[in-house]
Every structure is written in structure tokens, then in C-alpha cells.
Amino acid sequence: MTINLPLQAPSAAGLIWQVIRNGEAKTPAERDAVLADPGFGNHFTDHMVDICWSEKGGWHRPRVTPYGPISLDPAAAVLHYAQEIFEGMKAYRHADGSIHTFRPFENAARMQRSARRMALPELPSEIFIESLKQIIAVDADWVPSAPETSLYLRPFMFAKEAFLGVRPAKKVAYYVIASPAGAYFPGGVEPVNIWLSTDYARAGKGGTGAAKTGGNYASSLLPQAEAYEKGCQQVAFLDDAGNLEELGGMNIVLVKRDGTLVTPESPSILEGITRDSILQLATDRGHAVERRAISLDEWRSGAESGEIVGAFACGTAAVVVPIGRLLGTDFEIVHTGAEASELALSLRQELTDIQYGRVEDRHGWLTRLDA
Ligand SMILES: *Cc1c(COP(=O)(O)O)cnc(C)c1O
């Protein structure tokens, strides 16, 4: 992934925003009741952003409207051919009340890569950032302030043209919705057990694995259900050659005895911004980092010999989670040593300290959304 840190303030790219306030917005008391225990993905703020795109008019009619149902023609292409992409990020409230998000230009660039793969139009980064600022401008009070809470931001784009022929849609919609999120692990971070799916794959060579698109998630649901049946919380996938890929929605990092971190490099995995940031923090601490193909056999034999002492998963929602156990049909890897999970948790702490403004943002990763 290329890391680009634009230093100048983003411009609104000349678009004129229309803001329609929600006349039935939650009262402060109703909102506080939600923010007291938001969970994840259950509740939504009072507003949403939407921008239209058409082949003729490009990006147009950006607006903020009351949160609510979307009206779609039953022939809308997304409902038939799944031409859809999304992003996931968080807005963090700092101690001084200001609201920041983490590396949004990376999310913007990734959404452009996803768009290219799914034959959708690329939303310019300035408009992407502006859309986040617009929703925060009306829903800032929805950013919670309790420890480890945040406002989850979900930008997404889909083909809305009503046409059953198979080709890229000429009419597309981009939205941003926002959902307050509680601490992911209120009782402290617990290691997860992972089921290794061998009957199913989430992506294939030349497929859409590197795009953040709903279809990848749809194909992970059945193996995810299988994981639950096996007593595991998450499912891990391999590629055709038996190399480790990732979980349904999180990347994987292995920890070697000498402190080296090893993570899969593959054209069919989704490159996480959390993983990239964690590996940067580890590099800053002097850890060696390897991005390369990792076979399942390497993990198995390394765990047996003591060469690999643990593993963790990472992504925006849960941040970093140690992997306690990898369960396959005819084998099991159990990581019991404290070393790797202590490293994972200390990197997690450093990352969240940056996100919540508790330590210096030395890489310039934060973008303020409320100013
Ligand atoms: C979003 C996502 C991740 C994690 O990406 P982050 O940028 O760290 O949130 C990992 N894998 C998949 C399949 C994803 O969709």
C-alpha cells in the first residue's frame, strides 16, 4: 500500500452542499440513552450524507439529509449484480472535545481502488473527506466520549441505475451513515479462537478479494456460521496454494520468537489500514517486519518448533485481537505463551493512544473533522 500524507487542508472541490436538518432528531436525553450502551452497528445518528453520480453529470447534488430509508427501483443494478463497495472508519473524541479520524486519505484511496475493481466511479479524496466533515458538522453530539468508544463511519457506494442488462451502471449513489460504537471488549481484550475454513474461500486469483465489496462478505457468511458451530468466533481463509490470507474482515499477523512480525502479502486480501499502522509502530520499536506469502504449514511447524510464538488479527472495529487458537478439520494450533499477546496488546494500546490524542501523533495520522 502506498502511504500518502497530504498536508494541505482538503477543499470542498467546488461542490455546494445542501443541508436538510432532521426535524425528528433524537432529543439529548434519547441520544444519551443510546450513547450509554451503543454496542456495535445497532444505532444510527440523525443524518446521512448522499451524493449522486451519473455518467453525464459526474458527482453532483451533495447533501446532508435526515437518516432514513432509501427508495430504490426494484431493477437497481446493485440488487441483482452486487455492484457495491464500502469503507469503515471511526471518529474519536479527544479530551478537549475535538473530533478526529484516522488516516482518512488511506480510506479514500482504498475506496478508489475498490471502485476501479468494481467498475464504479472513483470519488475524489477531497469529496470523501468533505463528506465525513459534513456528517460530523450535524451529528457531532453523537461522537461518544467514554473510554474506547467512537462514532463508526460507514461510507458506501452502489449502482442504482434501473437496468437488468449486465454492464457497469451509469447512475451511482454514494452515502455516509454513522453509528455510535461502544468499547469492543468492555471486559478487556480476550484472545479469539479461529476456525480455518478449507471447504470455502473468500476470494480467488484475479477475483475481488482486494476490494472492500459486499460480495466478499456474503461469501464469508456460511463459513462464519461453520466457525460458530465449531466454537470459534472468526473464520480464516487460505488461497488456492494453501497460503494464509485473512479473516472475514480482519488481517492476520504472526509473531516469531525473535520478535519479527510476518503478515501475508497477496493480491487477493484486503489491505488493512490498522495492520499497516500497527506494523509501522512495530518497525518504530525496532521489530523486523516481513510481508510475504505464508503457508499454513509454516504456521503449523513454526508453532510446533517454538519459532512462531503467537498471532493476532487487526481491523478498525476491534483494533487488535490476539489469536489464542487456530482450529482446522484435523489439527489445532494453540498459542498459550504470553509474549505475543503482550506485544499485540501493547501495540494496540499505542495505536489507540494516538487515535484518542493521548500521545503525540508523530506520523501525522489524524485529521480533524469538526473544524
Ligand atoms: C476492512 C477489512 C479489513 C481491515 O481493514 P482496516 O482498514 O484495518 O479496517 C481486513 N479485511 C477485510 C476483508 C476487510 O474488509
Side-chain angles (χ1 to χ4, degrees):
M1 156 184 335
T2 50
I3 314 293
N4 242 321
L5 291 173
L7 294 172
Q8 75 276 35
S11 84
L15 292 178
I16 306 212
W17 286 75
Q18 178 189 10
V19 178
I20 304 162
R21 288 267 176 177
N22 188 344
E24 286 156 41
K26 297 255 187 323
T27 65
E30 287 167 340
R31 188 177 58 232
D32 288 347
V34 170
L35 295 185
D37 184 20
F40 184 84
N42 301 314
H43 302 278
F44 299 92
T45 63
D46 296 312
H47 298 89
M48 60 189 187
V49 156
D50 96 75
I51 313 179
C52 297
W53 179 90
S54 66
E55 198 179 54
K56 287 203 188 88
W59 293 105
H60 62 277
R61 208 219 54 201
R63 57 181 191 180
V64 177
T65 62
Y67 182 91
I70 296 172
S71 166
L72 272 187
D73 192 290
V78 65
L79 300 176
H80 305 271
Y81 309 126
Q83 199 190 355
E84 184 269 356
I85 57 174
F86 65 95
E87 272 302 323
M89 48 210 304
K90 285 172 170 176
Y92 307 91
R93 192 178 292 280
H94 288 191
D96 66 359
S98 60
I99 299 168
H100 303 253
T101 193
F102 186 72
R103 305 184 74 183
F105 293 91
E106 292 301 324
N107 294 88
R110 186 169 68 189
M111 195 170 206
Q112 290 156 7
R113 293 196 299 273
S114 299
R116 239 169 280 149
R117 179 64 184 85
M118 303 308 290
L120 284 163
E122 292 177 37
L123 182 71
S125 300
E126 316 84 73
I127 304 181
F128 180 87
I129 305 288
E130 180 68 16
S131 72
L132 308 175
K133 292 187 171 181
Q134 288 286 341
I135 196 160
I136 293 299
V138 289
D139 283 336
D141 290 342
W142 283 94
V143 182
S145 51
E148 310 308 307
T149 61
S150 61
L151 183 65
Y152 185 79
L153 301 172
R154 169 53 63 86
F156 60 105
M157 190 193 294
F158 59 85
K160 75 170 172 195
E161 184 185 359
F163 176 62
L164 292 184
V166 180
R167 57 149 171 76
K170 295 179 181 178
K171 280 188 187 154
V172 166
Y174 166 82
Y175 281 80
V176 184
I177 56 173
S179 173
Y184 208 88
F185 299 99
V189 183
E190 291 288 335
V192 288
N193 296 332
I194 304 224
W195 165 247
L196 181 78
S197 178
T198 37
D199 287 346
Y200 304 105
R202 70 173 281 282
K205 187 167 182 293
T208 58
K212 213 167 174 72
T213 182
N216 294 339
Y217 280 71
S219 73
S220 77
L221 296 176
L222 183 60
Q224 175 68 53
E226 200 176 70
Y228 286 137
E229 271 168 34
K230 307 283 179 185
C232 297
Q233 296 94 330
Q234 286 282 340
V235 58
F237 296 100
L238 301 175
D239 70 10
D240 305 348
N243 290 316
L244 192 61
E245 293 227 294
E246 60 172 323
L247 309 184
M250 294 178 91
N251 296 126
I252 297 180
V253 178
L254 304 185
V255 183
K256 293 175 88 169
R257 184 171 44 204
D258 68 358
T260 301
L261 299 179
V262 197
T263 192
E265 179 144 273
S266 153
S268 50
I269 68 172
L270 194 286
E271 298 207 328
I273 295 159
T274 312
R275 178 179 70 156
D276 186 72
S277 308
I278 286 288
L279 294 178
Q280 180 63 55
L281 296 179
T283 304
D284 296 350
R285 292 182 186 190
H287 289 265
V289 169
E290 296 172 10
R291 300 166 192 258
R292 58 171 172 83
I294 304 167
S295 68
L296 175 63
D297 285 343
E298 178 179 350
W299 190 356
R300 285 181 69 174
S301 60
E304 226 157 83
S305 69
E307 180 69 14
I308 294 171
V309 292
F312 58 86
C314 44
T316 295
V319 193
V320 174
V321 200
I323 295 173
R325 215 172 112 206
L326 181 76
L327 180 67
T329 42
D330 57 354
F331 75 97
E332 184 177 31
I333 296 171
V334 183
H335 287 299
T336 48
E339 196 180 339
S341 55
E342 276 166 15
L343 174 63
L345 295 184
S346 116
L347 288 167
R348 172 188 226 278
Q349 186 67 43
E350 187 177 355
L351 183 66
T352 54
D353 281 347
I354 292 171
Q355 291 168 332
Y356 287 93
R358 297 184 291 244
V359 299
E360 192 208 332
D361 173 23
R362 66 177 184 277
H363 290 288
W365 281 340
L366 298 182
T367 293
R368 190 163 175 186
L369 291 180
D370 64 331

